[in-house]
Amino acid sequence: MLRNPIHLRLEKLESWQHLTFMASLCERMYPNYQVFCRQSGFADPAQYRRILDLVWEILVVKDAKVNFDNQLEKLEAIIPSSEDYDIYGVYPAIDACIALGEVIHSRLSGSTLEHAIAVSEMSIRTVAMLEMTQASREMTEDELKVLPAIEDEWDIQWEIYRLLANCEERDIELIKGLKADLREAGVSNIGINLEQ
């Protein structure tokens, strides 16, 4: 799938920066899950929100304790199956769950870089799949990377990366600000607006 120099640059970041980067991208994928749940009646999207909130909490609350094995079980229970739904929204919803799963696995394994790259790739994949679905055809990487939606997604990922890369040490206010800004925007990586 689409590669980007951001994946090499992520190596320079600390684990808290990786975690903030992943949480930010999941925040941008959450509306995809929430709207799918509302349309299909599949699950309560608040469960996804609670798990993501715990990730933000460990970033800003010193010594916060979270049982991520337990959170993984909760997440696995709310992942829809594409075989059960014939609406396109199931795919971005699944992608949002896979991305959040990567965040949880990064906590369980203690290694964050590969998971940060995986979440970045998952978010761009969601955008690329929608573009190809709307065009009713497969596209090459060269075709995809010049699409405005793909460029926008990379721009936002780079913006988040740059904010984090400029920090010498964990910046609680920056983390809180990122979370607040992304939530307030309430727009997903594929342009879905959060339902209030």
Side-chain angles (χ1 to χ4, degrees):
M1 203 31 149
L2 289 155
R3 303 289 300 165
N4 190 282
I6 197 171
H7 298 145
L8 296 172
R9 298 281 179 84
L10 285 168
E11 292 175 14
K12 298 183 171 87
L13 299 184
E14 302 286 323
S15 62
W16 74 267
Q17 291 163 311
H18 291 149
L19 193 57
T20 306
F21 180 78
M22 290 188 281
S24 297
L25 297 188
C26 285
E27 198 64 60
R28 293 190 68 242
M29 296 173 88
Y30 170 69
N32 300 339
Y33 184 77
Q34 189 223 39
V35 170
F36 165 74
C37 288
R38 296 268 166 88
Q39 287 175 343
S40 65
F42 167 67
D44 181 358
Q47 184 62 56
Y48 185 106
R49 162 64 61 222
R50 281 192 288 276
I51 297 168
L52 184 52
D53 281 345
L54 289 172
V55 174
W56 286 114
E57 187 177 320
I58 61 168
L59 282 162
V60 296
V61 178
K62 195 171 166 46
D63 302 326
K65 298 274 186 270
V66 175
N67 179 339
F68 278 103
D69 281 312
N70 186 293
Q71 297 311 313
L72 187 60
E73 280 178 30
K74 288 179 180 177
L75 176 64
E76 285 169 352
I78 61 163
I79 300 174
S81 166
S82 60
E83 291 168 14
D84 296 339
Y85 297 93
D86 60 357
I87 55 174
Y88 183 80
V90 70
Y91 298 104
I94 292 169
D95 291 351
C97 291
I98 292 170
L100 189 54
E102 291 287 345
V103 181
I104 295 172
H105 283 294
S106 79
R107 297 306 297 167
L108 295 173
S109 69
S111 68
T112 52
L113 175 62
E114 69 214 51
H115 296 289
I117 292 170
V119 173
S120 168
E121 289 174 341
M122 180 56 63
S123 188
I124 203 74
R125 179 181 168 273
T126 304
V127 179
M129 294 308 284
L130 178 63
E131 290 293 318
M132 289 191 284
T133 300
Q134 289 175 334
S136 302
R137 67 184 184 87
E138 287 286 318
M139 293 186 196
T140 65
E141 189 165 328
D142 286 340
E143 287 177 296
L144 283 167
K145 67 183 180 192
V146 297
L147 295 175
I150 298 286
E151 289 178 353
D152 288 348
E153 174 62 17
W154 284 133
D155 286 348
I156 289 169
Q157 288 196 24
W158 274 104
E159 191 179 325
I160 295 166
Y161 166 82
R162 278 191 286 274
L163 285 168
L164 292 167
N166 288 333
C167 296
E168 295 294 316
E169 54 193 45
R170 188 185 297 223
D171 184 335
I172 304 296
E173 291 313 308
L174 172 78
I175 296 167
K176 286 179 177 175
L178 255 174
K179 175 185 167 189
D181 289 349
L182 291 166
R183 263 199 204 170
E184 206 172 288
V187 179
S188 82
N189 57 347
I190 55 172
I192 288 181
N193 288 303
L194 199 58
E195 292 182 357
Q196 298 306 329

